[in-house]
Every structure is written in C-alpha cells, then in structure tokens.
C-alpha cells in the first residue's frame, strides 16, 4: 500500500519487519507524502547502521579506539575509515589534520556503498556466538527514538530478562534488575554504563546521518519519523554491558512461550509509547518560561529573542523544543536517554561532530543540541526543584547557622533546600490560599513520587526495592503560619520510617498555628510499596542452598552466613519418603532455597524457600485432624478445650492464624490491646482468649504486672480444667525472659493449674532498625539476643513446657518484616478481597512453605492453600514466616493428643 491511500491518520506503526516478497512494509519514498503532524516508525539511518550486521561492523571498525561495547559478528572485508583512527584524530590539531578529517566521511561513504555486495556473512548459527561470549544474563532494553537529529531518545523502565541457554523470559524493572544482579558491585554504575553504551551508538548514527546528508549514499531525512528499538544486551562476570543485537522494533519472546504477564507488559509498553508519541500536554507556557531563564528577559511571547546582534530562533528549532517539552511531560514509564547531561556523552557529541565536520558547517545541529540540553536543565529545575537529597538538606541544617558567611553562589544554589523551624529562615507565604499546602517533600533515599509533587495534589505513590528497609521523610509548609507534622497532630516534621514488605502509608498533616489551639487544615498521604525479595523462575538445573543467618546482620559471627551449598548426602537424607516427626519446637534447622548458584542470591527462586529442621519434619495437620485436636477427648465432655494467649502483637498474629486454620475463615479481626474472648471457634467446640502484654503505652508505675495480667486472663477464661485441655501460649518479641517463666510457674501452682499445657514462643527479630520514636538495638545487642533466647528455651523445658523457637526462624530473614515500627511483624491481617487499586496486598501462600519436606509430593501442603483462597473469609492472615512458626506451634499443641 501507499501511505497516501490510507484514510486520515496520525500515527503509523509497522510491526512486521518484512513483507512476503522481502521488501519493507514501509517504503522510504512514502516518507515524502507525510503531512506535518503524521508520524511513522521508520528511521532509515538507524535501521541501516544499528539493525544490520554490516552497519554495526562499519561502526565498530571506524571507531575502534572508542572500544564500543558491541559483540559484532565476523567483520572481515567490511569498510571503516582509514586506519588512522577516527577517535585518535579528534584531539589532533593543525590544518592538515582538519583536511584529513574532512576527507574521511566522503571516503567512508564511497567504500560503504561499494561494499554492500561484498559482505562476509557471520556464522550461520548466531546462538553459538552468544554462547561463546558466556553471558550469564541477557536483557532486552526497549528504546524509543523520537528524533535522530537532534537526537531525542527514551528508554522504558521495564525490560525482558533471560538466562542463556534457558529460553524462559521474564519482565522486570530495569532499576530493580541492576540492584539485584549488581548488588555486590555497583548497580547504579552498571545501569549508567548500559545507557551510555546505547547513547553512544545512537549518537554515532546521528553524526553519520548528518555528515552524509549530501553524500552519495545519503538517506531521505524524515523529521516526523521515529523508531522503536530493542537492544539485546549481555552481561558476564563484570558490570560492562555488551550490545549483542539491535532490533528495528520492540522484540518480545515468542507468542507460544509468552503468558498473561508478558501480554500485559506488551500492552503497557505500547500504551506508554503512544502517549509519548501523541502527547496531549500543553507546552507553550513551559517553553516560554524556560527560554526566558535561558536567554533572560529579552525573550518575547512569540518564541523569539532580541539580544545584541543574535538571530531569532528558527521555526524548526522552536518546533523541536515544543515537542521535547511535550515528551518530557508525557514520559509515563519511559526515562530520558538523550539529551544527556553526562559529561562523557557531551564530550563525545562535540568530538564526533568536530571529526566529521572540521569546517563547522553543521554548527546549527550543535546549537539545537545546546538548546535542548539547556531546555532540559530549566524544565527539571521548574518541575523537580523540591526533589532534593534529604541528607544534604539535613547537613545544611546541622552544619550551617544563619550567622555563617555563605558564598552567594552557594546560597543561591541551595536556596530551595534551606529549611528551618524559624519562619524568617524558610521560604513561605502569607497568602491565605496557601494555608493548606506544603511547599515540598523531602525523602532519603529520594523517592520517585507519582504523580510529581504539586502542592495541590494530596496523594502520592512510590515504589522501593526490597533492600530499602527505611526511608526518612520530611516536609515544609507553604504558609508562614503553618507547621507540618507526620502521622499525628503533634508528630515531628521529619522522621525515619521502617518500610515493611507491601504497602506503607505516611500521613503529612498541615496545622495552622496562628490560633491558640493549632488546627489541622489539610493532610497529604504518601503510599510506599516495598517490593518482595526478587526471585528468578525455578529452572530445571537448580541447586539447593541453605542458610541460617544473613551476612547483612551476623548474629553469630563465628558461624558462616549467607547461602551455602547443600551436600548430596544431606539432600538425600531430607528427601526420604519416611521421615520422623520432630519431637520439640526448637529443633535446629535452616532455610533452604533453589538457586542457579549458591554464590549469588540473585539467582534464587525465593518463592520456593522452605524451613528444614535437621533430621525430622513437623507435621502439617489437615483441617479435620486439627479440629479434632482442639475439640478435646470424649472423657472430658463437661469442658470445652480452652486455648489462652498472652503476649504482644506477634503472639496475637499466631492466634489469628490458629483461628483461621481451625475455622477455615477469619470472620472478625481487631488489633486488640486488652482481653478478648472468642466463643465461636470450631463450631463453638473450642474457646480462645487473648490478653495483650506488655501495655507499653502506659506509664511504668501504672502498667499491670505480668503476674496481674496473667491472673486476669485466667479469671476471664474460667472455668478451666487442670489438664492439657487447657493450653496457655506465652510469648512476644523481646520482652520475655526467664523471670516471666518463673512467674507462670508460681501463678499456675497457686491457681491449681500445674497440669495444663504451656507453650512458650521465644523471642524474635525486631527493633533492629534506626526508627524514630522507639528504642533501636545496636548490632551487639542484636547478637546478644541469641544467648537470651537460649536461656528462655532451656528454662521453659526445665519447667516441662513446650517451646517454639521463633528467633532462629526470623533472624536469617530479618529484612522480610511487614508493617509496624518495630520491624518485628512477620504477619499481617488483610482483607481477602481487596479493591483492584491495591493489588499488592494479596498473597497466596506457596505450597512449598512446608516444614521439613524437601520439595516432596505430600498431601498436607495443599490444605494450607485451601483456606488461603477461601472467598468466604473476610480476612486472611498473611505472612509466610509467621506461617512456618505458627505451624510448628500447632504441631506442638497437638503432639500430646496424638500420642494419647
């Protein structure tokens, strides 16, 4: 077809690379028929140089001294510039050198045109070449070039990743990919190197295109054209990227191997692409404001300027700038690749043009580059001046006083950062319209707020990777009579927050302090989603790795940390079909997880992790068996079994887990901090009561003692039978010690309950983060928890109590806490059917969260999923770590009854 034959259109994308007859589906001659507003995905220069093997060979041979990171195929017989290197001549002076450089482009194009028929093809099996390179991971980076001259290019935030020789692909955020795979080196540098490699190739293509505009092999330049590209980039043992291939469209995994997630990603990618190519944003006011800052007050409203003898901006330059601003306002999930402020890229840009254009005939192109770079700088200043590094902000407050002499340039540069509680030292307004506004939000590490901060927008969303466990947040009011407070009316204006897995919410309140009693005039909400531990799909050739403690927090310095390979003997032992049942709740064990390599935790499928006790397994009871366990025995019909919990919120989480397992649903839930009784458990056949201890919010001299709280719980739960029909479960994070166990013994003897079943939940990880408002433990204090835990376990067993060792289970996964300031919660209760706008809080517990059954096929784990997906349950207890030690609790609860 011809473009002119199509009914009116704005955007034309040809997704198939070739027609049946081998010709392109868009012909270059069609470009002459485009209207001003019409755009087509065809940039012939890019397709020639980057998407053809011969083009990449020409680039790499011509610029061999640049050491371009391109894994080009066999290039023998391919032309480049003369052996006197192009890049080495950049720094040479003199007229002869300039003449030589002027001759090279013409010589190169002449040889390039004649060499088309002499191409020596690469190896017929390109996969062999990739294999020889020994890349541990390959990514597909999706790039959109909206203009070749001047270059404007964008890279999408999501890429496709796979591990050769495996064929399975999966999509992942680029930032997250680099944080995972280059965690031990420099993820940001690796990310920057990849973007730099792509930018270099695109810049070289622009330069060749401009230098050949009137040459024998010139292309028909299309200002309305764009190009969708896919860069296949490999990484080996270093952070150096290698460009393997460039596709002339967005390239995806084969449709027969893709899944719903792949299809969803494609749709989002094209949606972001359409928004960037067809922006609806207005740009005139932003352009005029930016140009006024670039050129001063001489800028007029028609987009021209009059300053000395300088020329007016051309229409083409103005159109480029208008389009660029529209693109910056419509980025979506794209990130700007070029123009770039990186000094290396800017230097390369000028050196390349000086090489191919020593007579400066292409100076106008460099002028437009300068215009776009300046425009970008001003646009970023206008829209993101509030997004500053909080650590610099804190430093400026702590180390600088108003009386210090600060150089004028420095004061001007940091004017937006300066903040103080004194009105005269901060930028503020007395305009009544600003009473309910905050002027800026500070975060460290810097959060990418969505949408971008605007005082009139009250809700924001941000995502952080798994390893970011805290964030410092502060805000500054717009009005001089107002103050900001975090979370509550008298809260601080700046605070350090823990970030549990999933959703975290921070409320910023604005109060009017001009009245005797300050009033809240508005509130802002920041929702921060912390991603789960990154996981790779489970490949066929995985190996099993084990760990007890994380190297980021070594509880026992004398023992190994991190992933360790498991021996064949150990794996054979835990793979037995007949396995004895663990006889205690503190049996030593470790976490085991499948990985491609135990030396790299980025290659593990963390969704398949399981707790493995040494030499035994804990029974996972099916619902009928569990219900019979808590129903009691027929000889005690006069009493229903009663289960009493006393402890903090971690103990309460185990209680709700038990209720949901027995009832198969969780009909009611509350963060009770008092005594609460439940009569509707197991169809009324089981009674459960709970008492919160310690009541830390009360003054020390007013808090009930542990003895008093225990007596009150026993009294509220009567009548009680002095047998194992009565169960007392005691525990918490770190308040429990051996003295509490002696108090339990004394009270039970006094109340004639010495024969009841007592289960002690030991201490757990928590309070290890530097969070405002709570006491945080030092590393030495965290390490000392190990010894305190052993004392509790030994004392409990000496009294004849059952135990559940939660410390050894939580210490190796201390980063996987959920919401709460203590960093100690490994459970949360969520609504079973959350609204679609909060998709992250749903979680189906993996069938492999079994207790000591090495990826075996046992029937019990399926029972764990039955209740987790029960649509009739209003609430669900979420948290795989809590699930592990709660199942151990159930196994100890029912152990004596199974024996009888």
């Amino acid at each position: 077809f011809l473009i002119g034959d199509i009914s009116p259109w704005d955007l034309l994308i040809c997704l198939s690379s070739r027609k049946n007859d081998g010709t392109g589906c868009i012909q270059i001659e069609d470009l002459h028929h485009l209207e001003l507003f019409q755009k087509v995905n065809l940039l012939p220069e890019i397709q020639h140089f980057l998407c053809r093997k011969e083009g990449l060979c020409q680039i790499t041979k011509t610029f061999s001294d640049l050491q371009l990171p391109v894994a080009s195929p066999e290039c023998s017989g391919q032309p480049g510039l003369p052996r006197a290197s192009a890049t080495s001549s950049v720094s040479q002076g003199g007229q002869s050198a300039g003449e030589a450089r002027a001759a090279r482009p013409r010589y190169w194009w002449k040889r390039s045109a004649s060499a088309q028929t002499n191409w020596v093809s690469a190896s017929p099996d390109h996969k062999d070449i990739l294999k020889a390179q020994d890349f541990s991971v390959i990514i597909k980076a999706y790039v959109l070039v909206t203009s070749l001259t001047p270059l404007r290019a964008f890279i999408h935030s999501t890429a496709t990743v796979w591990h050769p020789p495996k064929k399975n692909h999966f999509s992942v955020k680029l930032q997250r990919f680099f944080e995972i795979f280059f965690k031990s080196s420099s993820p940001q540098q690796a990310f920057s190197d990849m973007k730099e490699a792509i930018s270099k190739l695109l810049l070289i293509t622009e330069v060749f295109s401009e230098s050949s505009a009137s040459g024998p092999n010139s292309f028909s330049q299309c200002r309305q054209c764009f190009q969708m590209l896919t860069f296949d980039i490999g990484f080996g043992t270093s952070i150096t990227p290698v460009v393997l291939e460039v596709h002339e469209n967005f390239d995806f995994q084969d449709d027969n191997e893709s899944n719903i997630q792949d299809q969803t990603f494609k749709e989002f990618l094209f949606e972001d692409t359409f928004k960037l190519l067809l922006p609806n944003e207005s740009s005139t006011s932003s352009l005029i404001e930016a140009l006024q800052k670039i050129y001063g007050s001489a800028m007029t409203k028609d987009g021209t300027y009059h300053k000395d003898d300088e020329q007016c901006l051309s229409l083409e330059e103005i159109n480029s700038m208008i389009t660029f601003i529209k693109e910056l306002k419509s980025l979506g999930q794209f990130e700007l690749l070029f123009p770039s402020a990186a000094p290396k890229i800017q230097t390369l840009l000028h050196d390349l043009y000086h090489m191919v254009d020593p007579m400066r005939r292409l100076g106008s192109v460099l002028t437009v580059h300068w215009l776009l770079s300046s425009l970008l700088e001003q646009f970023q200043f206008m829209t993101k001046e509030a997004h500053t590094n909080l650590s610099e902000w804190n430093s400026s407050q702590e180390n600088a006083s108003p009386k210090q002499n600060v150089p004028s340039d420095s004061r001007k540069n940091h004017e937006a950062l300066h903040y103080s509680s004194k009105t005269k030292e901060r930028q503020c307004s007395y305009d009544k319209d600003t009473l309910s506004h905050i002027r800026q939000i500070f975060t460290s590490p810097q959060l990418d707020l969505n949408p971008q901060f605007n005082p009139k927008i009250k809700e924001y969303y941000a995502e952080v990777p798994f390893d970011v466990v805290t964030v410092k947040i502060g805000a500054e009011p717009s009005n001089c009579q107002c103050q900001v407070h975090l979370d509550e009316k008298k809260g601080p204006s700046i605070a350090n927050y823990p970030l549990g897995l999933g959703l975290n919410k921070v409320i910023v309140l604005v109060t009017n302090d001009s009245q005797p009693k300050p009033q809240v005039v508005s509130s802002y909400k920041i929702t921060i989603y912390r991603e789960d531990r990154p996981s790779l799909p489970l490949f066929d050739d995985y190996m099993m790795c084990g760990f007890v403690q994380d190297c980021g927090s070594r509880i026992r310095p004398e023992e190994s940390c991190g992933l360790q390979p498991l021996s064949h003997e150990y794996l054979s032992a835990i793979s037995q079909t007949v396995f004895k049942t663990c006889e205690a709740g503190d049996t030593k064990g470790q976490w085991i997880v499948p990985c491609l390599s135990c030396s790299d935790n980025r290659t593990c499928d963390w969704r398949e992790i399981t707790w493995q006790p040494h030499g035994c397994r804990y029974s996972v009871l099916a619902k009928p068996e569990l219900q019979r366990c808590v129903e009691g025995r027929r000889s005690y019909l006069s009493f229903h079994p009663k289960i009493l919990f006393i402890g903090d919120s971690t103990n309460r989480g185990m209680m709700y887990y038990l209720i949901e397992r027995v009832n198969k649903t969780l009909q009611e839930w509350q963060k009770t901090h008092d005594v609460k009784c439940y009569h509707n458990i197991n169809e009324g056949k089981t009674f459960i009561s709970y008492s919160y201890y310690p009541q830390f919010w009360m003054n020390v001299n007013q808090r009930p003692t542990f003895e008093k709280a225990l007596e009150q719980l026993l009294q509220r739960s009567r009548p009680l039978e002095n047998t194992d029909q009565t169960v007392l479960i005691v525990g918490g994070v770190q308040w429990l010690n051996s003295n509490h166990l002696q108090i339990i013994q004394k009270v039970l003897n006094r109340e004639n309950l010495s024969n009841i079943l007592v289960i002690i939940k030991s201490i757990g990880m928590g309070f290890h983060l530097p969070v405002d408002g709570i006491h945080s433990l030092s590393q030495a204090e965290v390490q000392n928890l190990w010894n305190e835990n052993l004392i509790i376990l030994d004392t409990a067993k000496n009294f004849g109590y059952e135990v559940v060792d939660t410390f050894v289970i939580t210490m190796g996964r201390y980063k996987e806490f959920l919401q709460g300031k203590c960093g100690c919660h490994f459970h949360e209760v969520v609504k079973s059917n959350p609204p679609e706008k909060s998709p992250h809080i749903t979680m189906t517990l993996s069938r492999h969260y079994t207790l000591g059954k090495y990826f075996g096929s046992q029937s019990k784990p399926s029972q764990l999923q039955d209740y987790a997906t029960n649509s009739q349950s209003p609430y669900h207890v979420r948290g795989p770590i809590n699930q592990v030690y709660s199942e151990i609790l159930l196994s100890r609860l029912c152990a004596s009854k199974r024996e009888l």
Side-chain angles (χ1 to χ4, degrees):
F1 61 86
L2 292 177
I3 287 181
D5 297 336
I6 309 175
S7 57
W9 55 275
D10 295 324
L11 186 69
L12 179 61
I13 296 178
C14 178
L15 294 180
S16 59
S17 59
R18 294 289 173 201
K19 286 184 179 180
N20 293 332
D21 60 2
T23 61
C25 61
I26 299 177
Q27 303 301 313
I28 294 179
E29 54 267 22
D30 292 338
L31 304 181
H32 298 291
H33 304 290
L34 293 179
E35 298 292 342
L36 180 63
F37 58 87
Q38 292 177 328
K39 299 181 179 181
V40 178
N41 71 322
L42 174 64
L43 284 170
E45 305 92 328
I46 287 182
Q47 293 191 3
H48 174 83
F49 286 113
L50 297 186
C51 305
R52 306 286 185 272
K53 296 173 183 177
E54 56 268 39
L56 281 176
C57 278
Q58 291 165 357
I59 287 177
T60 54
K61 293 191 71 173
T62 301
F63 294 93
S64 58
D65 286 3
L66 274 181
Q67 297 181 338
L68 294 172
V70 176
S72 56
E74 184 181 345
C75 293
S76 58
Q78 289 309 296
L81 290 183
R83 183 65 193 96
S85 169
T87 51
S88 62
S89 66
V90 170
S91 58
Q92 296 174 358
Q95 181 65 28
S96 59
E99 293 172 354
R101 288 194 296 266
R104 286 171 191 161
R106 291 191 294 272
Y107 172 80
W108 183 84
W109 278 112
K110 184 176 180 180
R111 293 191 62 191
S112 172
S114 63
Q116 301 285 338
T117 58
N118 298 325
W119 167 248
V120 178
S121 62
S123 168
D125 190 358
H126 188 54
K127 293 181 179 179
D128 291 340
I129 298 176
L130 301 186
K131 185 176 180 181
Q133 297 289 343
D134 194 26
F135 297 111
S136 60
V137 63
I138 297 176
I139 70 172
K140 286 184 177 292
Y142 299 101
V143 174
L144 178 63
V145 179
T146 57
S147 169
L148 182 58
T149 305
L151 178 62
R152 299 197 310 273
F154 306 85
I155 185 170
H156 201 267
S157 63
T158 303
T160 303
V161 179
W162 83 96
H163 291 263
K166 300 296 181 182
K167 295 183 179 180
N168 292 334
H169 295 54
F170 61 96
S171 58
V172 64
K173 291 281 188 181
L174 275 173
Q175 187 72 34
R176 177 177 172 184
F177 164 79
F178 284 99
E179 287 169 349
I180 297 171
F181 281 85
F182 298 100
K183 178 181 178 181
S184 58
S185 50
S186 177
Q188 198 57 46
Q189 184 62 48
F191 195 8
S192 298
D193 288 349
M194 186 197 74
K195 292 188 287 188
E196 179 181 316
I198 297 174
S199 298
K200 279 183 178 179
L201 292 176
L202 292 173
L203 271 178
I204 290 173
T205 304
E206 177 194 328
V207 171
F208 278 173
S209 170
E210 285 300 305
S211 66
S212 64
S214 59
N217 198 32
S218 61
F219 293 103
S220 175
Q221 294 194 349
C222 172
R223 300 302 181 187
Q224 300 101 310
C225 292
F226 63 94
Q227 188 72 55
M228 301 182 300
L229 297 171
T230 303
F231 283 77
D232 287 356
I233 299 177
F235 288 94
T237 57
S238 70
I239 66 174
T240 304
V242 179
V243 178
L244 307 176
E245 187 176 358
V246 183
H247 305 270
E248 62 187 44
N249 266 309
F250 290 157
D251 186 67
F252 304 101
Q253 185 178 10
D254 293 339
D255 290 337
N256 58 353
E257 297 179 2
S258 62
N259 52 34
I260 295 178
Q261 182 180 3
D262 297 330
Q263 186 61 37
T264 302
F265 164 62
K266 291 180 188 178
E267 293 174 359
F268 279 125
L269 176 60
F270 280 109
E271 181 180 342
D272 289 334
T273 301
F274 296 151
K275 288 180 179 178
L276 190 59
L277 293 172
L278 301 172
N280 293 322
E281 298 287 342
S282 174
S283 60
T284 306
S285 60
S286 299
L287 176 63
I288 293 176
E289 182 180 355
L291 291 179
Q292 285 176 336
K293 292 185 177 182
I294 295 174
Y295 293 110
S297 58
M299 176 60 59
T300 62
K301 291 185 178 181
D302 62 358
T304 62
Y305 67 94
H306 307 284
K307 189 175 181 181
D308 300 331
D309 296 327
E310 295 178 345
Q311 299 293 322
C312 295
L313 291 176
S314 68
L315 179 61
E316 186 174 343
E317 290 171 337
I318 293 176
N319 285 335
S320 294
M321 298 174 80
I322 290 176
T323 304
F324 184 43
I325 284 189
K326 287 184 177 181
E327 291 170 346
L328 291 176
K329 289 184 174 183
S330 308
L331 288 176
Q333 293 300 311
F334 276 98
E335 175 185 340
L336 180 63
L337 193 63
F338 197 91
S340 169
K344 290 166 64 175
I345 296 297
Q346 287 293 321
T347 301
L348 175 65
L349 169 67
H350 288 83
D351 284 350
L352 287 173
Y353 269 102
H354 291 164
M355 180 195 74
V356 301
D357 181 36
M359 310 309 294
R360 308 295 174 92
R361 295 187 182 93
L362 299 175
S364 59
V365 179
L366 286 176
T367 299
V368 180
H369 272 291
W370 175 83
L371 281 172
L372 293 184
S373 297
S374 301
L375 187 63
L376 173 65
E377 180 182 359
Q378 293 301 325
F379 182 82
Q380 290 175 332
F381 178 79
M382 290 186 297
T383 58
K384 295 186 178 181
E385 60 177 337
H387 291 260
T388 58
N389 188 292
L390 187 58
S391 60
E392 295 180 8
W393 171 55
N394 287 336
S395 176
S396 67
Q397 295 182 71
E398 295 170 359
N399 301 327
S401 68
K403 296 182 180 180
Q404 288 177 322
N405 294 322
V406 181
S408 59
D409 290 343
S410 175
R411 184 178 297 278
K412 181 178 180 180
N413 292 339
H414 294 279
E415 189 176 19
L417 307 182
H418 189 66
Y419 175 85
S420 171
S421 59
K422 298 181 181 179
T423 302
K424 64 180 181 180
E425 294 178 9
R426 76 177 190 226
Q427 297 181 1
C428 59
S429 168
Y430 285 95
D431 189 339
K432 291 184 178 180
D433 292 339
T434 64
L435 276 174
S436 61
H437 293 165
I438 58 176
R439 195 175 74 86
Q440 51 189 337
I441 296 173
F442 306 96
T443 63
S444 178
Q446 185 169 325
L447 299 180
D448 184 13
L449 296 180
N450 184 23
Q452 291 184 350
F453 176 74
N454 183 318
K456 297 181 180 180
I457 299 176
K458 300 299 178 70
E459 293 192 13
Y460 298 90
Y461 176 81
E463 294 183 357
V464 297
F466 171 78
D467 286 322
V468 177
V469 294
T470 61
V471 61
K472 183 163 284 190
I473 295 180
E476 178 180 341
S478 296
N479 194 281
C480 301
Q481 298 177 321
C482 295
Q483 295 290 341
V484 294
H485 303 276
L486 299 178
D487 288 333
E488 56 186 15
K489 193 174 179 180
K490 295 184 179 180
S493 61
I494 175 175
N496 211 37
Y497 284 88
L499 296 177
L501 295 178
L503 297 175
N504 302 264
K505 294 181 181 179
V506 178
I507 304 298
V508 181
L509 300 177
V510 181
T511 61
N512 184 352
D513 288 14
S514 63
Q515 305 297 326
K517 291 185 177 181
Q519 299 294 321
V520 175
V521 291
S522 70
S523 65
Y524 293 73
K525 182 171 75 172
I526 306 172
T527 301
I528 306 169
Y529 177 72
R530 179 171 163 237
E531 297 173 340
D532 286 327
R533 185 186 286 273
S535 292
L536 292 183
L538 183 60
F539 298 111
D540 294 335
D541 55 350
Y542 64 84
M543 63 187 302
M544 296 307 302
C545 312
F547 71 98
V548 175
Q549 60 180 344
D550 190 288
C551 294
S553 179
R554 299 188 68 167
I555 308 298
R556 309 205 70 194
E558 69 278 7
E559 297 185 1
S560 62
C561 65
L563 296 172
Q564 304 295 325
L566 301 179
S567 66
H568 292 294
E569 294 77 13
Y570 180 85
L571 294 176
S572 298
I574 64 176
S575 301
Q576 299 177 51
T577 55
V578 179
F579 221 55
K580 74 173 186 177
T581 301
C582 298
E583 298 178 354
D586 62 342
T587 303
K588 293 184 181 298
Q590 63 180 326
W591 292 103
I592 62 174
V593 61
C595 307
L596 296 179
S597 170
C598 293
S599 61
D600 191 345
N601 63 14
R602 303 169 301 179
T603 68
C604 303
D605 191 343
W606 290 98
R607 299 166 301 178
E608 304 294 345
I609 189 172
T610 185
W611 176 254
Q612 177 62 58
H614 295 329
C616 63
R617 68 179 177 87
Y618 291 105
S619 298
V620 179
L621 305 178
K623 179 190 173 185
E625 189 178 0
L626 180 59
Q627 289 177 331
R628 288 194 297 270
C629 163
V630 297
E631 280 179 12
R633 297 178 297 279
R634 293 295 180 184
S635 58
Y636 296 98
L637 293 178
S638 56
F639 291 98
H640 286 310
K642 296 190 175 182
I643 305 174
L644 288 60
F645 287 82
I646 182 169
D648 57 28
S649 54
T650 60
N651 206 22
R652 186 177 61 208
M654 297 173 72
M655 178 192 69
Y656 281 124
Y657 182 91
L658 168 62
I659 293 175
E660 186 175 3
R661 280 279 274 120
V662 173
N663 282 357
K664 205 175 179 179
T665 67
L666 186 59
Q667 294 295 326
E668 60 175 305
W669 165 80
Q670 56 182 286
K671 291 184 178 180
T672 179
H673 288 79
D674 202 347
V675 177
K676 177 73 174 177
C677 298
Y678 299 89
H679 299 271
N680 60 340
I681 310 302
N682 198 14
E683 299 178 345
K685 300 173 185 176
T686 306
F687 170 89
I688 290 180
S689 60
Y690 169 77
S691 176
Y692 191 95
Y693 183 88
Q695 296 177 328
F696 56 86
W697 60 91
M698 301 177 64
N699 293 329
V700 176
N701 57 355
Q702 295 179 337
R703 292 179 192 170
T705 63
F706 177 71
E707 183 173 351
K708 184 73 173 177
L710 179 56
E711 289 175 345
Q712 184 184 25
L713 175 64
L714 296 174
Q715 187 63 35
R716 291 281 300 271
S717 305
R718 289 188 183 278
L720 297 171
E721 184 177 322
N722 188 23
T723 68
D724 65 357
Q725 288 285 86
T726 302
V727 182
L728 176 64
I729 301 172
V730 184
V733 185
Q734 290 161 17
W735 58 268
L736 186 68
N737 58 48
S738 58
N739 292 330
H740 294 100
L741 305 185
Q742 294 176 3
I743 294 173
I744 294 172
Q745 188 78 350
K746 180 178 68 173
V747 171
L748 294 182
N749 286 334
R750 187 172 63 220
E751 299 293 329
N752 194 27
L753 294 171
S754 57
N755 293 325
I756 71 171
L757 174 61
V758 179
I759 304 177
I760 301 299
K761 171 202 169 298
S762 71
I763 61 180
M765 276 296 288
F767 298 96
H768 52 282
L769 302 173
V771 176
D772 295 298
I774 64 171
H775 172 68
S776 299
L777 301 179
S778 65
Q779 182 60 26
E781 290 174 318
V782 172
Q783 291 175 347
N784 192 51
L785 292 175
W786 175 270
N787 294 325
E788 294 180 17
N789 192 62
L790 289 180
I791 293 173
I792 292 172
L793 294 173
D794 290 341
T795 305
K797 288 187 287 187
N798 287 338
F799 283 135
Y801 301 157
E802 290 279 359
V803 296
V804 177
D805 185 1
T806 52
F807 186 70
V808 71
I809 292 175
T810 57
M811 73 180 198
R813 301 179 69 180
Y814 68 99
K815 288 185 178 180
E816 297 177 58
F817 61 91
L818 298 170
Q819 283 65 34
K821 283 192 172 183
C822 64
C824 64
H825 294 141
F826 296 94
H827 81 280
E828 65 177 349
V829 180
V830 298
K831 291 184 177 180
S832 294
N833 298 304
E836 292 183 1
K837 66 179 181 180
S838 302
H840 301 296
I841 64 174
T842 60
M843 177 177 178
T844 301
L845 300 181
S846 168
R847 67 181 184 278
H848 292 305
Y849 280 114
T850 58
L851 304 160
K853 188 59 179 175
Y854 162 64
F855 294 97
S857 57
Q858 63 177 28
S859 59
K860 297 295 189 294
S862 62
Q863 301 296 330
L864 295 183
Q865 281 195 320
D866 290 345
Y867 79 90
T869 57
N870 186 350
S871 61
Q872 302 301 315
S873 179
Y875 300 100
H876 168 56
V877 182
R878 168 186 177 238
I881 300 175
N882 175 79
Q883 183 189 21
V884 167
Y885 54 68
S886 294
E887 286 295 333
I888 296 176
L889 169 68
L890 298 185
S891 73
R892 303 320 304 157
L893 174 65
C894 299
S896 61
K897 295 180 174 58
R898 281 200 307 273
E899 293 168 3
L900 290 173

